[in-house]
């Protein structure tokens, strides 16, 4: 793609075959979904008030994903990318992914993303086979002792 060229996701056959800046989350943008591995739940990993700037390396090509929970969250991340030098000088744009948070354009914060919590796999419940209860052990009765007077 030439610098200054803008294309819709529907106009790009394979986003990994070129350098790209992909704007919008996987629920709204098929190119974003492709970069993220076409998640079954397109909103997974996104939360209100947060967005991501994430670099994907695809052989000799790279793609930068700019995506948020809402359109406003995506706009805040776009603002950070457009002001790259300002944020790079603060030392926060040094990893492959950063989280952009805020509620307005005046309170933007940029930081490493929170660690992803991976749920432990479900442990199958194995029931023990039913066992008939054992008959209670009964001691033989002691012989009756006649009472003496």
């Amino acid at each position: 793609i030439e610098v200054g060229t803008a294309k819709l996701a529907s106009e790009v056959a394979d986003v990994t075959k070129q350098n790209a800046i992909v704007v919008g989350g996987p629920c709204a943008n098929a190119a974003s979904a492709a970069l993220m591995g076409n998640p079954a739940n397109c909103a997974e990993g996104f939360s209100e008030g947060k967005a991501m700037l994430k670099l994907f390396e695809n052989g000799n090509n790279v793609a930068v994903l700019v995506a948020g929970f809402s359109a406003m969250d995506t706009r805040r991340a776009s603002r950070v990318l457009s002001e790259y030098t300002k944020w790079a000088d603060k030392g926060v744009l040094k990893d492959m992914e950063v989280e952009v948070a805020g509620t307005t354009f005046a309170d933007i914060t940029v930081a490493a993303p929170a660690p992803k919590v991976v749920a432990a796999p479900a442990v199958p419940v194995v029931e023990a086979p039913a066992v008939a209860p054992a008959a209670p052990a009964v001691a033989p009765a002691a012989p009756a002792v006649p009472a003496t007077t």
Side-chain angles (χ1 to χ4, degrees), residues 18-69:
Q18 55 203 326
N19 294 316
I21 299 173
V22 181
V23 180
C27 295
N29 186 327
S32 296
L35 285 173
M36 296 182 75
N38 294 305
N41 175 0
C42 64
E44 186 175 346
F46 292 92
S47 59
E48 191 169 352
K50 296 185 179 176
M52 69 170 68
L53 289 172
K54 186 171 183 176
L55 182 68
F56 291 86
E57 294 179 337
N58 303 302
N60 292 328
N61 298 308
V62 295
V64 176
L65 175 63
V66 184
F69 179 80

Side-chain angles (χ1 to χ4, degrees), residues 4-120:
T5 300
K7 291 189 177 190
L8 298 174
S10 60
E11 298 172 317
V12 178
D14 185 352
V15 69
T16 66
K17 299 293 183 197
Q18 55 203 326
N19 294 316
I21 299 173
V22 181
V23 180
C27 295
N29 186 327
S32 296
L35 285 173
M36 296 182 75
N38 294 305
N41 175 0
C42 64
E44 186 175 346
F46 292 92
S47 59
E48 191 169 352
K50 296 185 179 176
M52 69 170 68
L53 289 172
K54 186 171 183 176
L55 182 68
F56 291 86
E57 294 179 337
N58 303 302
N60 292 328
N61 298 308
V62 295
V64 176
L65 175 63
V66 184
F69 179 80
S70 69
M72 187 60 174
D73 297 330
T74 300
R75 286 181 179 194
R76 273 190 293 281
S78 296
R79 173 74 58 91
V80 170
L81 187 58
S82 73
E83 297 174 343
Y84 180 85
T85 303
K86 168 187 168 183
W87 292 97
D89 288 348
K90 292 182 178 187
V92 294
L93 297 180
K94 58 185 174 192
D95 294 320
M96 297 287 285
E97 180 179 359
V98 294
E99 182 177 87
V100 178
T103 56
T104 68
F105 286 118
D107 69 347
I108 295 172
T109 61
V110 179
K116 302 211 183 330
V117 177
V118 178

